[in-house]
Structures are given as C-alpha cells and as structure tokens.
Amino acid sequence: MTRSFEFHTDRRTITRTVLTLLFIIAGAVLLYVLYTGGAFSAWFLSAVLAVLALMILSIPRRVVLLDDTLEIQCVSDITEINIREIASVRKVDKRDMRWTIRIFGASGFFGYYGKFFDFKEFDFVTVYASEWNNFVEITDIYDARVYISCREADEFIAAIEQAKAECEELPIEEE
C-alpha cells in the first residue's frame, strides 16, 4: 500500500515567504549601497546565501505512507519512521500549538519546519508543516513527537492505523 499526502501552502505562509525574501533583498541592496567592498559585505552575503540554501533544501514536500515506513519527504531530505515504532497518531488543534516556539528552523519561510520547543509538555518536537493549521501528531515508542500539517488528517490517520494493523500481522524480519 502506497499513499501520498501533499503539503498545501496557505496564504499566510506565502505572504511570510515573500516578505522574508524582500527583507533579504533589501538588506543586500542596502549593504551594497552603504558599504562598498570589504570583507564584511562578502561574509554577510555568503552567510545569508548559505542559510537561505539550507532552508530551501529543508522545505517539506509530501508525506508518503509505504507498506512499513512513513516517509516525510523534503526537497533534499527524507525522514523515515517505521510503522511498527509509531505509538500514537492524533489530530492536534491549532490552539494547542501556541505553546510551541521555534528553536532551529523556519517559521513561515516556505513553511514551518525544524526543531521546536513545546512549553506545555516541556519537550523538544520536530515540525514539518506548510501551514500553521491542520496538525497531526505522530508519537513513536521512544516518546519522540513529530508534527505535520495535513489537510486530509482523518484519511491520513486511518491510513496509518490500517498500515499498523497490517504490519502487526506480518512476522518481524531479523537482520
């Protein structure tokens, strides 16, 4: 069974992305006009371009549910979660996410992704979202939590539950 769930970007995320890009371009133009030459402008431009490239490579694209693996596919990275290691999957309301702040990653630049801190549970969580809405929490057997945004949350949860049931029927392969 292979199911794919696409991330959908909302208007707020698009607005934040455009504003961030305009801010970066304005900063580069101001630096060029006000500070000609020198090592500072070269280092600043290099650092901004490196961070921008890393952020673009981490943009979440889709979630793919394979037979025994859940893949969260980004532009250049794939996070794999074994279906047998998923302890629970549930929908999370947007209001519950207000206690979550970004530690490392993006907040609105092509989405919300990276490491966040949840003050309600006092724990670090990983977020892969293209909009700050429609959250699904995936908790594994090691108590690590991953939040993704999925507009088809009910279908996604049902597909994971079905895949978990099918995996429990199969014998565990030894390596």
Side-chain angles (χ1 to χ4, degrees):
M1 172 178 81
T2 301
R3 295 274 319 262
S4 180
F5 299 90
E6 300 291 327
F7 284 103
H8 300 283
T9 307
D10 63 348
R11 186 175 297 144
R12 179 180 176 194
T13 303
I14 293 170
T15 303
R16 282 186 160 196
T17 300
V18 169
L19 289 175
T20 302
L21 289 174
L22 289 175
F23 181 74
I24 290 170
I25 291 169
V29 168
L30 279 174
L31 185 66
Y32 179 75
V33 170
L34 297 176
Y35 188 78
T36 57
F40 179 73
S41 60
W43 279 106
F44 176 78
L45 188 60
S46 297
V48 167
L49 289 176
V51 169
L52 193 64
L54 286 173
M55 291 180 78
I56 288 172
L57 291 173
S58 300
I59 297 170
R61 303 310 320 150
R62 73 184 58 81
V63 178
V64 178
L65 180 61
L66 301 173
D67 291 329
D68 61 344
T69 306
L70 178 70
E71 291 183 350
I72 303 170
Q73 298 177 353
C74 299
V75 172
S76 71
D77 184 34
I78 296 176
T79 301
E80 294 182 345
I81 302 171
N82 190 329
I83 293 294
R84 288 188 170 109
E85 294 181 354
I86 294 177
S88 67
V89 181
R90 68 180 182 96
K91 288 172 67 172
V92 177
D93 192 43
K94 180 180 174 178
R95 290 182 307 231
D96 294 334
M97 295 298 289
R98 69 176 171 230
W99 298 102
T100 306
I101 63 163
R102 175 180 45 97
I103 300 297
F104 182 76
S107 278
F109 184 70
F110 289 108
Y112 305 85
Y113 44 91
K115 293 294 182 185
F116 286 62
F117 189 77
D118 185 0
F119 279 101
K120 193 173 186 181
E121 299 289 330
F122 213 69
D123 191 20
F124 290 98
V125 297
T126 305
V127 175
Y128 297 99
S130 58
E131 59 185 351
W132 199 254
N133 204 0
N134 303 315
F135 286 103
V136 175
E137 178 190 69
I138 302 169
T139 307
D140 65 10
I141 58 176
Y142 310 108
D143 288 332
R145 293 183 296 152
V146 175
Y147 289 96
I148 65 168
S149 65
C150 184
R151 289 189 182 172
E152 304 91 16
D154 294 325
E155 296 173 33
F156 177 69
I157 293 170
I160 289 180
E161 295 297 332
Q162 181 183 359
K164 281 178 60 176
E166 290 174 2
C167 281
E168 290 173 359
E169 295 172 359
L170 298 174
I172 298 175
E173 296 177 13
E174 293 185 22
E175 296 178 14

